[in-house]
Amino acid sequence: MTARIGVVTFPGSLDDRDTQRAIRVAGAEPVALWHKDKDLKQVDAVVLCGGFSYGDYLRAGAIARFSPVMDTVIDQAKAGLPVLGICNGFQILTEAHLLPGGMLGNDHLHFICRDQKLRVENAGTSWTSDYTAGQEIHIPLKNMDGRYVADRRTLDELEAEGRVAFRYLDMNPNGSLNDIAGITNAAGNVVGLMPHPEHAVESLIGTGRTDGLPFFTSILKKLVNA
């Protein structure tokens, strides 16, 4: 049976179709989910895609966190449902307290769009098992509010527990503390990152690499072998 991965569309989402395509390229079935619906249509995993949900009014991800669909996502994520938050999706995950810390505006106060070098720090999550720890990859990055922040105790816990999933290399594009590009929850089923793996799944587009494809093959293998 084909794994079914839901992709939530909020008002202002930009990358829902790209994410659906990445899921299809990996061999799974993408399922469109609407922000007003609490029904997740019996999907096996969920992706919160990038964009500017609700125009980023109030604070990036702060309004989307209260969408009806998020009530179900939060409950099921706590019960083990794999959830990936990309860029705005990462912001929503922090606002929903499924991941610790928060996001502030880039320290240089400008929108940034570039191919970003990352190091895989944790290859043991539901979304990263097709990588190897220490692997260096290139993933497109585009954000205005991408600066990851947390108090010192939270940062120390993330580092000590191996929950930093990805770290920026060569340059820190937004001032994120500890060069953090992505993190995971303790169970490894919820992962958030600022770069956009869905834009790096085919060699003809994006970076010209397929460094983002393992996100989607990882979860597919996880679900097939579950």
Side-chain angles (χ1 to χ4, degrees), residues 141-161:
L141 175 77
K142 51 179 185 176
N143 63 70
M144 181 69 188
D145 299 297
R147 178 161 51 115
Y148 180 76
V149 297
D151 59 43
R152 177 48 56 187
R153 179 178 178 181
T154 299
L155 289 172
D156 289 345
E157 287 179 353
L158 290 173
E159 297 287 0
E161 297 172 7

Side-chain angles (χ1 to χ4, degrees), residues 5 14 17 38 48 62 79 84 87 101-103 105 119 139 157 170-171 181 185-186 194 198 222:
I5 302 177
L14 300 179
R17 297 298 179 90
K38 289 192 173 184
L48 305 179
L84 175 65
C87 196
M103 295 293 178
R119 182 172 60 241
I139 301 289
E157 287 179 353
D170 292 350
M171 69 165 290
N185 68 342
M194 288 309 296
E198 77 279 12
K222 166 75 174 179

